[in-house]
Amino acid sequence: MDRRTALNKTALLLGGTILGAEALLSGCAPQSSKSKGILFKAEDEALLNEIADTILPDTPDSPGAKQAGVGAFMQLIVEDCYEPADQKVLIAGLEKIRSISQQQYKQDFVVLNAVQRQGLLTGLDEEAKKHEKSKTDEAPSHYFTILKQLSVFAYFSSEVGTTKALRYNPIPGRFDGCVDYKEGEKAWV
């Protein structure tokens, strides 16, 4: 028995209908219009992994974004949670990164070396900062701003980012809201 049927039967037992039961259950309705994988191409996950790994590379203390497998998570978040306007900006931005890579290096971004990738993304970061300063509140963000924010969110939401890049206590004791921070230490999750 599903929740909707259980609520209807409960309402009948109580002698009436539960007002607004449909509204309460509207959040449970499946979204038939949304399907997975319509926005991204098959090769986009690898591109997202490489972009995120350039932004958050391996360090001596923690693996980079590619080892955290952030590309699949980034696709999921964009398809399920982003507004259509932001989705279009991001998808167009991925194509632009491919185009810039071909123009500058005659190669796909995923096969560039670390210096080439960093140079390309540093240029985009400067362009994005100028865009963010000059845009209106209603105008969409620059695609690199969205990519950068999404990369950081995906990495620090992953198990690798949470347990390796940050200090993680799986079974916390008491809450200590005011802990001294020493420069160079990892932040707490």
Side-chain angles (χ1 to χ4, degrees):
M1 178 182 307
D2 63 7
R3 188 186 309 179
R4 186 180 309 265
T5 305
L7 281 174
N8 284 334
K9 289 187 178 190
T10 303
L12 287 174
L13 287 174
L14 295 174
T17 59
I18 297 176
L19 294 174
E22 288 294 321
L24 286 174
L25 295 175
S26 64
C28 301
Q31 297 179 359
S32 59
S33 63
K34 232 176 192 178
S35 63
K36 303 290 178 210
I38 57 171
L39 291 174
F40 292 97
K41 294 186 276 185
E43 61 270 17
D44 286 344
E45 183 177 333
L47 178 60
L48 289 169
N49 273 328
E50 297 298 338
I51 292 169
D53 202 59
T54 305
I55 296 168
L56 298 160
D58 290 343
T59 68
D61 297 332
S62 61
K66 190 163 72 175
Q67 288 187 34
V70 299
F73 181 76
M74 291 167 75
Q75 288 178 325
L76 179 74
I77 292 296
V78 170
E79 287 189 349
D80 287 354
C81 303
Y82 275 36
E83 295 293 326
D86 290 334
Q87 291 173 341
K88 287 180 186 173
V89 168
L90 187 75
I91 298 298
L94 292 178
E95 292 305 319
K96 193 157 187 173
I97 289 172
R98 285 186 174 101
S99 172
I100 293 169
S101 178
Q102 285 294 332
Q103 288 171 358
Q104 290 183 356
Y105 302 106
K106 310 283 187 236
Q107 293 179 317
D108 290 335
F109 184 86
V110 294
V111 295
L112 297 179
N113 65 42
V115 174
Q116 292 170 325
R117 287 180 187 178
Q118 195 169 19
L120 194 154
L121 294 187
T122 300
L124 289 178
D125 193 37
E126 291 169 9
E127 179 184 310
K129 286 176 183 171
K130 289 178 188 170
H131 174 82
E132 297 301 322
K133 284 183 182 174
S134 64
K135 79 174 187 82
T136 62
D137 289 342
E138 296 81 29
S141 292
H142 191 277
Y143 63 90
F144 188 72
T145 302
I146 297 171
L147 270 171
K148 195 171 166 183
Q149 292 171 346
L150 186 59
S151 298
V152 171
F153 174 70
Y155 181 71
F156 288 107
S157 298
S158 71
E159 181 179 349
V160 168
T162 304
T163 59
K164 306 287 186 209
L166 300 172
R167 288 189 283 179
Y168 174 70
N169 184 359
I171 305 173
R174 66 186 172 106
F175 176 74
D176 219 351
C178 186
V179 178
D180 291 333
Y181 173 75
K182 294 176 188 154
E183 191 168 327
E185 286 185 342
K186 291 180 180 178
W188 284 97
V189 174

